[in-house]
Amino acid sequence: MGLEYQTYIMEHLKKDAKNDLNSLIDEMRNTVQELKTPSTKLETLKRNKARYAEVRAKQEQLEARINPIRLKFAYITDDNNNDSNITELSEEEKVKILSLEEEWSKF
């Protein structure tokens, strides 16, 4: 496989992994923030209760997204799969992937 093609694939994988990670973390944070907002009206309370039920119903689906994200980042950072430093992670990306378990616990 040519280096140019390999670089293209690794960059695409990195972009995909970052998008998946950011999407999951944003969804968890937004949901927590939404549900932490105090309900002062019956309508808001009903909406929050419905949102909570929705999130509980898809909790397994959300949790199932974690391992594939970890695997993508593990593959990206594996020196055997990466002949160049093109896919080196930024400090922000490293912090996010390391904080994924904590984010899930908060969720």
Side-chain angles (χ1 to χ4, degrees):
M1 177 173 6
L3 183 58
E4 185 176 306
Y5 183 71
Q6 183 180 7
T7 300
Y8 171 79
I9 295 296
M10 291 300 283
E11 279 299 317
H12 181 73
L13 181 61
K14 182 179 176 183
K15 181 180 175 186
D16 190 49
K18 285 171 47 177
N19 287 341
D20 290 350
L21 177 63
N22 289 330
S23 171
L24 181 58
I25 288 177
D26 287 347
E27 184 172 354
M28 289 188 297
R29 286 177 180 173
N30 291 339
T31 301
V32 167
Q33 188 60 37
E34 181 181 341
L35 293 176
K36 282 174 75 173
T37 303
S39 303
T40 56
K41 297 180 182 177
L42 184 58
E43 180 181 309
T44 307
L45 182 60
K46 286 180 182 178
R47 188 181 70 237
N48 283 357
K49 184 179 177 184
R51 178 72 172 130
Y52 179 77
E54 174 190 329
V55 169
R56 292 289 297 177
K58 69 177 194 176
Q59 183 176 353
E60 286 181 15
Q61 291 173 313
L62 291 171
E63 189 173 19
R65 292 169 56 188
I66 293 173
N67 198 43
I69 291 170
R70 282 193 188 123
L71 291 173
K72 286 177 187 178
F73 278 101
Y75 188 82
I76 289 167
T77 57
D78 184 350
D79 290 336
N80 295 323
N81 300 323
N82 188 9
D83 292 336
S84 67
N85 290 330
I86 194 87
T87 55
E88 190 172 305
L89 299 178
S90 70
E91 285 304 312
E92 180 183 354
E93 293 163 343
K94 290 176 187 176
V95 168
K96 275 188 175 182
I97 193 65
L98 291 173
S99 71
L100 188 53
E101 195 66 38
E102 182 183 342
E103 291 290 339
W104 179 251
S105 294
K106 288 179 187 177
F107 180 70

